Amino acid sequence: MGYKVKGIPADKAEIIVCAGNFHGRTLTVVSLSSNEDYRDGFGPFTPGFKIIPYGDIDALRAAITPNTCAFLVEPIQGEAGIVIPPAGYLAQAAQLCKQNNALLMLDEIQSGLGRTGKLFAYMYEDMTPDVLIVGKALAGGFYPVSAVLASREVLGVFRPGDHGSTFGGNPLGCAVARTAIRVLVEENLVERAAELGAYFLARLQAIGSPVIQEVRGKGMWIGIELTTLARPYCEALMSEGILCKETHDRVIRIAPPLIITREEIDWAVDLIAKVLKP
């Protein structure tokens, strides 16, 4: 789009991304990461990316130039520790991108398909992205499949033969994805994530522990930020029968299946409180 529609000079296009991002592990994607653990040993890196602070609309405004073709961002940063931007951030970003003829590309591979209590996390704001990237939950964790959603105007820049993929559009992957989406709708899993996620969050926020700095989240996606390293607590929780992941050293990330019951949440909260209390 940048070259063929906006008319950016050859090899001068820029994509703006945010510090703390996680968009995957391929070479170009780790080129735009601010995490040195992901970059170590993979250089030389792909140029053309600008990294700005997450959630800072003024930083985005200052970073945009005539050569900006897109802004790639997560509506909620998952790998960074369930970091939620200020209210209105995405809507303001969409307006800035439109004013500057740049694409707003949302990575909802982790946040999408019900995880946050909406079908997609961007739906908490009054805006629609130009490009939406989905995966992981698209196949219910059963099969590797991902997709890019956009208008014909955007995807139409690709002509037959311009782009290919060994497994792109394979029938089994598409069938699994269609079934997973049908289950998501028929079993009201998005609404369930919103209701039980709010209950889960409230119960976790009620835990009194000096090692807890903050408990934040949306839907079934919760981060417990600690005042100390999280890994020992994750290991202790594993011994109690709860699997979770530490991220950015001090955050315990909670992402249960959307089919979790209230009784299972109560069981989990009791064990989390047991582990986190001194």
Side-chain angles (χ1 to χ4, degrees), residues 1-3 8-15 47-49 65-70:
M1 282 291 281
Y3 295 124
I8 295 173
D11 301 329
K12 297 297 183 180
E14 302 168 344
I15 296 176
F49 299 105
T65 74
N67 289 340
T68 300
C69 65

Side-chain angles (χ1 to χ4, degrees), residues 26-118:
T26 55
L27 180 59
T28 293
V29 165
V30 297
S31 298
L32 55 87
S33 175
S34 61
N35 189 325
E36 289 304 319
D37 290 340
Y38 300 151
R39 294 166 58 91
D40 185 34
F42 285 97
F45 298 106
T46 305
F49 299 105
K50 285 184 177 180
I51 301 177
I52 63 172
Y54 183 64
D56 187 336
I57 198 66
D58 291 330
L60 175 60
R61 183 180 293 107
I64 294 176
T65 74
N67 289 340
T68 300
C69 65
F71 176 41
L72 172 62
V73 64
E74 300 157 271
I76 296 175
Q77 287 190 329
E79 197 72 16
I82 319 301
V83 180
I84 302 171
Y89 175 66
L90 294 179
Q92 293 176 66
Q95 185 176 24
L96 274 177
C97 287
K98 185 175 182 180
Q99 291 170 352
N100 290 275
N101 197 20
L103 296 177
L104 175 58
M105 306 191 300
L106 296 188
D107 180 344
E108 294 236 31
I109 289 175
Q110 291 193 29
S111 61
L113 296 165
R115 171 56 58 190
T116 66
K118 295 281 189 182

